[in-house]
Amino acid sequence: MAKTQITAEPGIPQIIITREFEAPCALVFRAYTDPELIVRWLGPRELTMRFDYHEPRDGGRWRYVSIDPAGNEYGFHGVFHGEPSIDGIVQTFEYEGVPGHVALETVTFEDVDGRTLVRSVSSFQSVEDRDGMIASGAEHGIRDSDERLEELLAELQGR
Amino acid sequence: MAKTQITAEPGIPQIIITREFEAPCALVFRAYTDPELIVRWLGPRELTMRFDYHEPRDGGRWRYVSIDPAGNEYGFHGVFHGEPSIDGIVQTFEYEGVPGHVALETVTFEDVDGRTLVRSVSSFQSVEDRDGMIASGAEHGIRDSDERLEELLAELQGR
């Protein structure tokens, strides 16, 4: 059901992702903001995830680490612009393996007959940064994330 | 000397501004980060400016108000991603008159034979947002800001 659409047009420093989930907005929003839930779905299946901190408020910082089967850690961090709410989450995003390259991420949740349409816009500082993100294998992670989130939402709803 | 170049290509949700100042990087950086100096140059000449808060650290928040001759106030706010340093300032930016539209701003300072090349990249959430910023008269404010900063830097250097 989570038909993921990834849009990354040539020359435009953005990635736009839309997907629809069989769950109400409030539950999807919770899955996007509760770190105990986020670690259960964000990222490729072969990685595990640990939050060092997650402060969902205006100016709050977050940092998580993805850990591969060999134990290598990959850090990511950012800050929240405004209080995350069901009206939207706006945050910065930086992969610490390529420091100094920052994206602005905006996630919104729209009710569609009881399902939830999630739209995510990542605005990069340059097309090169955007292309680097894609070359790093982001699409694999995005598709795994959506499948895992779909499974988690089904479990949380007792389906 | 501050030959300002403003680049805003059709279909690309960014504004890129470059300008060069007759001052060393450290002084230009100070003018960009000390709120008592910022209020002396940022924005069109006909407006005055007041900071409500300015916390130059990772996750720190800032808010300022521009005040027109009639006393109308226009608020702006954002958060810093990472500690602002002479290597760069990365922050979010939102005009409160159009809430929910956020840009990511990156400012870097490059030494060019004792002068400073300032490069500012604003990445918007959409081309519409970028075009709205331009339609609001941003260019007038940018050009006034550059002239005023040039004057301030001359004064600070006793020229």
Side-chain angles (χ1 to χ4, degrees):
Chain A
M1 180 53 65
K3 293 284 174 291
T4 302
Q5 290 207 320
I6 304 175
T7 305
E9 293 182 38
I12 297 178
Q14 290 190 317
I15 299 175
I16 299 174
I17 304 167
T18 57
R19 47 288 189 68
E20 201 171 294
F21 295 100
E22 286 280 359
C25 279
L27 187 63
V28 178
F29 174 70
R30 210 183 110 209
Y32 267 84
T33 44
D34 178 343
E36 291 187 19
L37 295 181
I38 298 172
V39 297
R40 294 179 58 189
W41 68 266
L42 188 62
R45 286 188 195 275
E46 66 272 21
L47 303 183
T48 56
M49 189 179 175
R50 180 191 78 229
F51 268 95
D52 286 340
Y53 41 84
H54 183 269
E55 305 160 348
R57 55 175 168 75
D58 187 30
R61 302 175 310 144
W62 60 266
R63 181 175 193 267
Y64 68 75
V65 170
S66 286
I67 307 158
D68 71 15
N72 300 306
E73 301 199 346
Y74 307 90
F76 302 82
H77 72 269
V79 296
F80 291 104
H81 173 101
E83 176 105 5
S85 82
I86 203 159
D87 293 329
I89 302 168
V90 180
Q91 64 184 27
T92 59
F93 175 96
E94 180 172 359
Y95 167 49
E96 295 169 5
V98 194
H101 301 264
V102 185
L104 180 70
E105 294 191 342
T106 306
V107 182
T108 53
F109 309 90
E110 185 188 341
D111 177 81
V112 181
D113 300 327
R115 298 189 304 278
T116 300
L117 176 67
V118 179
R119 186 168 192 269
S120 159
V121 177
S122 294
S123 296
F124 294 82
Q125 291 162 314
S126 69
V127 170
E128 293 70 28
D129 283 5
R130 192 279 309 269
D131 291 347
M133 174 65 76
I134 290 174
S136 75
E139 182 172 346
H140 164 57
I142 292 164
R143 297 200 185 276
D144 264 15
S145 295
D146 285 355
E147 277 184 22
R148 297 174 71 197
L149 178 52
E150 199 171 23
E151 292 161 12
L152 175 62
L153 292 169
E155 181 192 318
L156 292 173
Q157 294 177 102
R159 280 198 276 111
Chain B
M1 182 50 68
K3 293 285 175 289
T4 302
Q5 291 207 319
I6 303 174
T7 305
E9 292 182 39
I12 297 178
Q14 290 190 318
I15 299 174
I16 299 174
I17 304 167
T18 57
R19 46 286 187 71
E20 202 172 293
F21 295 100
E22 284 281 358
C25 279
L27 188 62
V28 178
F29 173 71
R30 208 183 113 210
Y32 266 84
T33 44
D34 179 343
E36 290 187 20
L37 295 181
I38 298 171
V39 298
R40 294 179 60 189
W41 66 266
L42 188 61
R45 285 187 195 275
E46 65 271 21
L47 302 183
T48 57
M49 187 178 177
R50 179 191 78 230
F51 269 95
D52 286 342
Y53 41 84
H54 183 269
E55 305 160 348
R57 54 175 168 74
D58 187 31
R61 302 175 311 143
W62 59 266
R63 181 176 193 267
Y64 67 75
V65 170
S66 286
I67 307 159
D68 71 15
N72 299 305
E73 299 198 348
Y74 306 90
F76 302 81
H77 72 269
V79 296
F80 292 103
H81 174 100
E83 176 105 7
S85 82
I86 204 158
D87 293 329
I89 302 167
V90 180
Q91 64 184 28
T92 60
F93 175 97
E94 180 173 0
Y95 167 48
E96 296 169 5
V98 194
H101 301 264
V102 184
L104 181 70
E105 293 190 343
T106 306
V107 182
T108 53
F109 308 90
E110 185 189 339
D111 177 81
V112 181
D113 300 327
R115 298 189 303 278
T116 300
L117 176 67
V118 179
R119 186 168 191 270
S120 160
V121 177
S122 294
S123 297
F124 294 82
Q125 290 161 315
S126 68
V127 171
E128 293 71 27
D129 282 5
R130 192 280 307 270
D131 291 346
M133 174 65 77
I134 290 174
S136 75
E139 183 172 346
H140 164 57
I142 293 164
R143 297 201 184 275
D144 263 16
S145 296
D146 286 354
E147 276 184 24
R148 296 174 72 197
L149 177 52
E150 197 170 27
E151 292 162 13
L152 175 62
L153 292 167
E155 181 192 318
L156 292 173
Q157 295 176 102
R159 279 199 275 112

